[in-house]
Amino acid sequence: MTNAPNLVPLYAEIFLLIATSALLLIDMFLPAAKRSITYALSLLTLAGCALLTVGDFNAGTTVYTFHNMFVSDPMSQLLKLFSYGAVALTLIYSRAYATDRSMLSGNLGGEFYVLALFALLGQMIMISANNFLIIYLGLELMSLSLYALIALRRDNAKATEAAMKYFILGALASGFMLYGISMLYGASGTLDLNEVRVALENGKTNGTIMVFGLVFLVAGLAFKLGVVPFHMWVPDVYQGSPTAVTLLLGAAPKLAAFAITLRLLAEGLLPMAHDWQQMLLVLAVMSLAIGNFTAIAQTNLKRMLAYSTIAQMGFVLLGLLSGTVDGPGNTLNAAGAATAYGASMYYVITYVFTTLGTFGVIMLLARNGFEAEELADFKGLGKRSPIFALVMTLFMFSLAGVPPLMGFMAKYSVLASVLATGQLWLTIAAVLFSLIGAFYYLRVVKMMWFDEPTDSNALVVHGDMRVVLALNGVFVLALGAMPESILAACATAITKTLAS
């Protein structure tokens, strides 16, 4: 009789699945006026997941289960905790916005919360996957939920168009990734990431097929990260989606995309580091160049932030390609990996929480019939609401990399890891592109503080959003001035994960 799998590492995922299914049933019997119950239960579900995960993180252990297809390690636990926080902030920021646009009304109004939680479940599976097919399973669960969320406003032509674009291009990217996985499986004879690495180290693979499979795999990963030249969906989908869904799409999923990129490349395909590092180098430089230059020409803030995302993901790739390897066998240098991958992980976390706050301010200014997504809509915000103009300034400065905010420390950590590998030219190029990118962030700040307001309507802010948005700004400021705790946590999580 086969031993039953250890379910303890999956308690958070099991709880989320059961709670979300129950939430779907409960919401069916709630009138539209009681939709706040669904909102509160969603936040309680996230709190329950956090309680189940934080204990494992404090223990610092690594556990494999389901025939090594699922792993619970410090990196996955830390990323899951930040994912819960990102989704919770998204729901808080989105509540008034979604209500005004009838996304939370009718008999199926709670589907916004349910789909958001199912997307989170897919992200959690991606973060802990140790098998090619489990990674793909989590990826599709997340993607299908996001497709439905983007199309949630069925009466909105822009949202429908954005959903179709994302679905078609997402299917193409999934095909790339699945085809790459099939080639890697054919060349190595296994779907287990650890076994693929062992087969590569022992020379028991077909080198040519492995390289071809790697190319398709990196293409699929590049699409999910939204980097050049697989970035064409990002600006259109960001702009066309309801802002609440744009935030669900652009924040927490980046944590999951980082996790699968690290697991696939730095764990499963480490002996091929020379090949994939060169690919990431090209993707990173192109993303920094095209993302920053194109963002300057944008007048729509959501579209500008989309191109900003492309450039920011270029920095994430710089950290991933800086994980050093030693000798002809491409053996991982533990110290170099902890520094580089830890910096990249910190960068993703920084980007996610700064982006959350930025879109939170956009939804703060929006009202029924008015989206507040043009740059001109932010003119004179300093006179209308100095506090929220200050909060938005903190987020813009952080994205630009101005000290002492989180964004500065994130950029500094990545650049230091790149410089440690001896690639001075790449470090200089990244700094120059960051200086170019600072222009369009500072332009928003200038409009808020020095231009006259074009909108005289009073800002209506719910109490929970007011408090959380202010705390989000304090978080970005405080952890930029004192980043040691998160940087150390990221480096320690990476070290323990790669050592397991």
Side-chain angles (χ1 to χ4, degrees):
M1 181 177 177
T2 306
N3 291 330
N6 180 12
L7 295 180
V8 175
L10 287 95
Y11 276 173
E13 284 80 3
I14 294 171
F15 172 77
L16 179 59
L17 176 60
I18 295 173
T20 305
S21 301
L23 189 64
L24 180 61
L25 293 174
I26 292 170
D27 186 78
M28 290 176 61
F29 300 98
L30 290 176
K34 299 291 186 179
R35 194 111 293 141
S36 58
I37 295 176
T38 309
Y39 167 75
L41 290 176
S42 299
L43 294 181
L44 286 175
T45 298
L46 294 171
C49 291
L51 288 174
L52 290 170
T53 304
V54 73
D56 292 335
F57 179 70
N58 290 332
T61 57
T62 298
V63 181
Y64 290 87
T65 188
F66 280 97
H67 304 286
N68 293 336
M69 291 191 292
F70 186 95
V71 58
S72 176
D73 54 27
M75 184 188 78
S76 67
Q77 293 148 9
L78 185 60
L79 286 175
K80 286 176 186 177
L81 288 172
F82 279 112
S83 296
Y84 306 148
V87 174
L89 288 180
T90 301
L91 297 183
I92 293 171
Y93 292 156
S94 303
R95 184 185 178 191
Y97 178 95
T99 301
D100 289 343
R101 284 145 189 83
S102 301
M103 295 169 64
L104 299 180
S105 61
N107 293 330
L108 296 177
E111 64 188 0
F112 175 80
Y113 298 118
V114 171
L115 287 170
L117 294 178
F118 274 126
L120 174 63
L121 179 60
Q123 294 159 31
M124 293 168 67
I125 294 172
M126 291 167 64
I127 289 171
S128 285
N130 192 53
N131 181 284
F132 282 121
L133 289 187
I134 301 303
I135 288 175
Y136 188 75
L137 177 67
L139 180 63
E140 288 306 296
L141 176 57
M142 179 190 75
S143 298
L144 290 171
S145 300
L146 292 175
Y147 299 152
L149 279 165
I150 295 171
L152 202 56
R153 293 187 67 187
R154 292 180 287 273
D155 58 341
N156 187 287
K158 286 185 178 180
T160 304
E161 179 185 353
M164 290 180 65
K165 287 179 178 178
Y166 189 42
F167 175 72
I168 293 170
L169 293 174
L172 181 64
S174 296
F176 279 159
M177 181 171 283
L178 199 57
Y179 187 58
I181 289 173
S182 68
M183 297 183 77
L184 294 172
Y185 172 67
S188 63
T190 180
L191 293 169
D192 185 284
L193 295 182
N194 296 334
E195 293 178 5
V196 170
R197 178 173 173 175
V198 171
L200 283 166
E201 290 173 344
N202 295 334
K204 296 181 179 180
T205 60
N206 186 309
T208 302
I209 297 178
M210 289 295 290
V211 171
F212 273 105
L214 176 64
V215 170
F216 283 100
L217 189 67
V218 170
L221 293 172
F223 178 91
K224 295 305 174 185
L225 287 168
V227 295
V228 178
F230 304 97
H231 68 293
M232 68 291 292
W233 63 275
V234 180
D236 289 345
V237 173
Y238 271 45
Q239 183 180 3
S241 303
T243 305
V245 181
T246 303
L247 189 49
L248 278 169
L249 178 67
K254 299 302 182 187
L255 299 170
F258 167 81
I260 63 170
T261 302
L262 186 67
R263 290 205 189 278
L264 287 169
L265 302 183
E267 292 190 42
L269 300 173
L270 178 65
M272 301 180 71
H274 178 74
D275 297 303
W276 57 257
Q277 282 180 339
Q278 298 305 309
M279 297 179 196
L280 295 189
L281 175 62
V282 175
L283 295 174
V285 173
M286 288 196 303
S287 298
L288 287 168
I290 294 176
N292 282 316
F293 276 113
T294 312
I296 293 174
Q298 307 306 314
T299 58
N300 181 281
L301 184 57
K302 286 168 67 175
R303 199 170 183 88
M304 187 199 85
L305 291 173
Y307 283 106
S308 161
T309 296
I310 295 168
Q312 301 285 354
M313 290 302 104
F315 259 96
V316 173
L317 294 184
L318 288 180
L320 288 171
L321 66 87
S322 301
T324 53
V325 291
D326 299 325
N330 281 345
T331 305
L332 191 66
N333 181 302
T339 301
Y341 299 153
S344 187
M345 184 174 171
Y346 177 72
Y347 198 101
V348 173
I349 293 169
T350 298
Y351 162 79
V352 167
F353 282 89
T354 306
T355 298
L356 283 165
T358 302
F359 279 96
V361 177
I362 293 175
M363 286 187 281
L364 171 74
L365 296 182
R367 58 183 182 274
N368 195 11
F370 179 68
E371 290 297 323
E373 60 183 44
E374 297 294 326
L375 289 176
D377 297 330
F378 280 76
K379 287 183 177 180
L381 181 60
K383 297 179 180 178
R384 296 176 61 200
S385 176
I387 293 177
F388 290 113
L390 177 61
V391 171
M392 186 65 167
T393 300
L394 291 176
F395 295 139
M396 290 293 101
F397 279 170
S398 182
L399 288 170
V402 176
L405 299 167
M406 259 182 109
F408 169 75
M409 285 308 304
K411 282 183 167 61
Y412 175 81
S413 301
V414 170
L415 291 173
S417 65
V418 174
L419 191 59
T421 64
Q423 300 182 87
L424 178 61
W425 72 271
L426 185 56
T427 308
I428 294 173
V431 171
L432 291 176
F433 286 130
S434 293
L435 291 175
I436 294 169
F439 169 79
Y440 53 84
Y441 295 123
L442 297 180
R443 179 175 58 187
V444 177
V445 176
K446 176 260 181 187
M447 287 181 171
M448 289 191 298
W449 292 105
F450 297 103
D451 289 1
E452 291 298 318
T454 57
D455 186 358
S456 59
N457 288 279
L459 295 178
V460 180
V461 188
H462 293 275
D464 54 352
M465 184 176 183
R466 182 189 298 273
V467 172
V468 173
L469 193 55
L471 290 176
N472 198 163
V474 172
F475 179 84
V476 170
L477 177 60
L479 290 181
M482 298 175 290
E484 295 82 8
S485 57
I486 293 187
L487 273 171
C490 291
T492 301
I494 293 292
T495 301
K496 291 181 178 180
T497 297
L498 295 178
S500 61

